[in-house]
């Protein structure tokens, strides 16, 4: 047994389960899709219903991809994108620390996903079983640039935060 592969599996399982739970919560928790849509609208993400469903689909797909280790750089890119949007739109105004609802937590998830994109999912993964592993610079760039590129596109096209009185 290679302990590096066990470590990568544990990282993928914890990240994937976290994403799955976030997606599930946006879909079925508290206010369900209407509540999530309303919250996204309040953050300036319009239309809120589109963003609610986009977050659900992205988080569940990325979570499943991470859990099973399938198309890992793309699952990492999706995670980076979701976390970057959350960091900028919801957490940035609150500073760094998570106990103040800052971006510390989402930054950590995103950075770990970029690293996982570079390292790869390990041998305990569908990527390895199907011989489709993309690691190294290619995995790193996919996770980072596709994730941040998606964030930039989404924010440029749909983020319309309310103007403050000073603006």
């Amino acid at each position: 047994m290679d302990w590096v592969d066990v470590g990568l599996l544990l990282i993928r399982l914890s990240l994937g389960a976290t994403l799955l739970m976030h997606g599930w919560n946006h879909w079925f928790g508290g206010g369900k899709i209407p509540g999530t849509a309303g919250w996204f609208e309040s953050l300036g993400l319009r239309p809120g219903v589109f963003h609610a469903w986009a977050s659900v689909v992205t988080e569940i797909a990325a979570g499943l991809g991470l859990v099973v280790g399938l198309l890992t750089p793309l699952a990492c890119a999706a995670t980076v994108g979701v976390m970057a949007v959350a960091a900028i739109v919801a957490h940035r105004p609150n500073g760094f620390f998570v106990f103040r609802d800052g971006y510390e937590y989402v930054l950590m998830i995103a950075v770990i996903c970029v690293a996982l994109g570079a390292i790869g999912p390990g041998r305990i993964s569908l990527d390895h079983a199907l011989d489709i592993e993309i690691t190294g610079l290619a995995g790193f760039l996919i996770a980072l640039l596709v994730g941040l590129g998606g964030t930039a596109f989404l924010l440029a096209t749909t983020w319309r935060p309310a103007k403050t009185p000073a603006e």
Side-chain angles (χ1 to χ4, degrees), residues 18-107:
T18 298
L19 266 287
L20 284 167
M21 294 305 295
H22 275 262
W24 187 264
N25 187 57
H26 286 158
W27 194 356
F28 295 110
K32 300 183 176 40
I33 291 294
T36 300
W39 178 54
F40 285 166
E41 285 269 348
S42 78
L43 295 171
L45 293 169
R46 296 181 172 83
V49 171
F50 167 80
H51 286 283
W53 278 112
S55 74
V56 165
V57 169
T58 303
E59 289 171 344
I60 289 176
L64 288 172
L66 288 168
V67 165
V68 300
L70 180 62
L71 304 173
T72 303
L74 292 176
C76 289
T79 303
V80 168
V82 170
M83 293 302 116
V85 169
I88 293 166
V89 172
H91 301 288
R92 178 186 45 84
N94 304 316
F96 178 75
F97 295 105
V98 70
F99 58 83
R100 293 188 178 137
D101 201 25
Y103 57 88
E104 173 183 13
Y105 176 69
V106 295
L107 175 65

Side-chain angles (χ1 to χ4, degrees), residues 73 77 114 117-118 134-149:
V114 171
I134 301 169
T135 61
L137 181 61
F140 172 83
L141 290 175
I142 289 169
L144 181 65
L145 298 181
V146 172
L148 293 181

